[in-house]
Amino acid sequence: MPRSSRLPALFLVLGALLSACSDDAPPAEDAPPPPTPQEKTLNGIWQETGGSARVMVLGDGQQLHLLGFEDLQGSRWQADQAGTLQLRMLMRSTGTPIEQQPRFDLDNDSGTLTLANDDEAAITGTWQRAPDAAVRLQGRISLPDDFSMPADAVLAITLEEQDADGLPADIIRRQLSRPKAGSYAIDYRFYLTPAMFTEHPGARLTVRVMVDGALQYLGHAADLTGAPQDNLDIALEALNGATSGQHTANAPLRTLHGEYRYVADAAVFTECASGKRYPVAYSEGGAELERAFLAAERPIAGDGLPQPLLMTVTGTLQDGPGMEEGTVVEQLFVQTLERTLPEGNCANRGTATLENTYWKLTLLGSQRVQTAEHQREAHLVLHGPEKQARGNLGCNQFTGSYELDGDTLTFGPLAATKMACAGGMNIEGDFSAALDRTRRAQLDGETLILLDERGKRLAELQAVYLY
């Protein structure tokens, strides 16, 4: 089926399942009307009293920004003469739009705002005007000359730390939005708590523009000192493929274990480890999952829909336009279907034991590992009784000691044979270096993830058989 006929149905069926993962994503709308007298008095930064870390920014242009809210992102706000504050938000975990209308009472003398609502789940309580509770960065994001914003683009602004290789290691705050197609520059506002600066002195502000989950433009702020800043302009660089439509991946390749279900032209993958649901982006890899699911002829479950199929896939999790205008959802872009387990599900998927299991190397960093023809596959076995690690680096056999304490895993010096092989030599050094840098092991079903001291993924391995 052509992609154009599939996507509308996919987003209709997935409405309640889409997970909006931005911190704050005001939609691209027409210019708001002039502020009412009530909005002029409420405009500003408010912090919840009682020692709360929650901050609500009732910004210019009716933009609502939320800091410290676990599962809510802000969108828009309005205030009417009847004393009602209208808050438009989105539930990040489900993608569900939410509108709340608490009654407000403002005491200008004390700078106190009281919100009341009969709904216990609504934003209520007492808020204090606190201009120092949030730091504002704003400026203009500019595309290169002769370039304009693509249609269906996602604009991602992040404050992020970097690892030793200069790659994103920890996203401190992210703000996603849908920029207007054809624009050459975008004015932005980005709010942070002061602690985000003091606790992350090496962080930088980065801007990315993505289309269909692929990175097309990239830029960084030159300097974050002296915040707040009203003229923090960021110039974007066009990456390879920005004009040809060929995309450059911006997310690491991962191995995921979970349940796949295809219903009414829509596909959803539920990761067993986290329980998160991801719409499956239409691609050749996604079509392979669909074919496997239909061929399995799944029985009908209690909800009247086919039972999901347990499978292991390799792919990336990347942002794409959501069903609700101005929202962004995380989608699964499948590269490879590794295997299906027709008799299993997330509840009984089992977990391979770290020790005494044959672990086949599948990913080094974000690069997929292919076994060379007529060459033994790279693998690892941790022999528990004697605490000896043995395996193959891609060509040569190796052995060495290891220490395991909970999820803490370290390897001692490795001794390896010194053969020359027609294939497999290209991964030997990287696999050996990954083992040397390993400080922690993470198990997800039958997937083993090796992590360094900062939690960066070094390698992923799959259980082939259990001892």
Side-chain angles (χ1 to χ4, degrees), residues 5-285:
S5 65
R6 298 171 59 98
L7 289 181
L10 183 148
F11 286 121
L12 280 173
V13 175
L14 291 178
L17 302 178
L18 298 183
S19 171
C21 57
S22 67
D23 280 336
D24 207 348
E29 299 179 355
D30 296 333
T36 65
Q38 290 78 14
E39 290 170 352
K40 289 182 178 179
T41 60
L42 292 177
N43 185 286
I45 300 172
W46 301 88
Q47 184 168 23
E48 191 174 27
T49 59
S52 173
R54 300 203 304 180
V55 176
M56 178 172 57
V57 181
L58 304 178
D60 296 336
Q62 297 179 336
Q63 288 194 3
L64 173 64
H65 302 261
L66 300 175
L67 298 171
F69 288 75
E70 182 177 355
D71 199 29
L72 285 178
Q73 67 176 60
S75 178
R76 294 286 179 181
W77 72 281
Q78 289 177 282
D80 59 27
Q81 295 181 356
T84 299
L85 182 64
Q86 300 179 21
L87 303 176
R88 290 172 55 188
M89 300 166 290
L90 209 75
M91 188 75 71
R92 285 197 295 266
S93 60
T94 63
T96 306
I98 297 174
E99 184 166 331
Q100 295 180 0
Q101 297 182 353
R103 300 177 297 277
F104 72 86
D105 180 66
L106 176 61
D107 186 340
N108 283 314
D109 294 334
S110 63
T112 300
L113 175 66
T114 302
L115 303 180
N117 196 310
D118 296 333
D119 184 357
E120 294 182 358
I123 296 177
T124 59
T126 304
W127 300 75
Q128 192 72 34
R129 195 179 287 277
D132 295 331
V135 175
R136 185 191 68 218
L137 305 177
Q138 68 177 24
R140 171 158 288 200
I141 299 169
S142 302
L143 275 72
D145 292 340
D146 300 325
F147 285 83
S148 63
M149 189 65 65
D152 297 325
V154 173
L155 176 69
I157 306 175
T158 62
L159 182 69
E160 59 189 38
E161 289 187 319
Q162 306 168 68
D163 61 15
D165 300 321
L167 299 175
D170 182 29
I171 293 178
I172 302 160
R173 178 165 169 76
R174 178 171 60 167
Q175 177 173 301
L176 303 174
S177 61
R178 294 283 302 280
K180 184 178 180 180
S183 57
Y184 300 96
I186 303 100
D187 293 325
Y188 77 94
R189 288 186 177 180
F190 189 70
Y191 285 88
L192 304 164
T193 64
M196 292 176 180
F197 285 99
T198 58
E199 296 174 5
H200 305 278
R204 67 179 179 181
L205 196 67
T206 299
V207 175
R208 297 177 176 87
V209 175
M210 297 167 286
V211 178
D212 291 336
L215 184 63
Q216 290 205 342
Y217 299 92
L218 177 67
H220 306 283
D223 188 7
L224 290 184
T225 59
Q229 294 188 21
D230 291 336
N231 296 292
L232 191 63
D233 297 336
I234 301 175
L236 300 182
E237 174 188 359
L239 303 181
N240 292 335
T243 56
S244 66
Q246 299 174 353
H247 302 318
T248 303
N250 72 304
L253 201 61
R254 290 184 52 190
T255 301
L256 296 96
H257 195 60
E259 296 178 349
Y260 172 90
R261 179 182 270 182
Y262 175 80
V263 179
D265 210 22
V268 177
F269 186 92
T270 303
E271 186 181 19
C272 289
S274 65
K276 291 183 178 180
R277 291 175 174 155
Y278 302 103
V280 179
Y282 183 69
S283 63
E284 181 54 39

Side-chain angles (χ1 to χ4, degrees), residues 258-263 268-270 293 296 298-301 303 305-311 341-346:
E259 296 178 349
Y260 172 90
R261 179 182 270 182
Y262 175 80
V263 179
V268 177
F269 186 92
T270 303
F293 180 83
R298 304 301 292 163
I300 302 300
D303 56 6
L305 300 175
Q307 288 184 359
L309 177 62
L310 188 67
M311 56 177 60
L341 302 167
E343 303 304 320
N345 55 53
C346 282

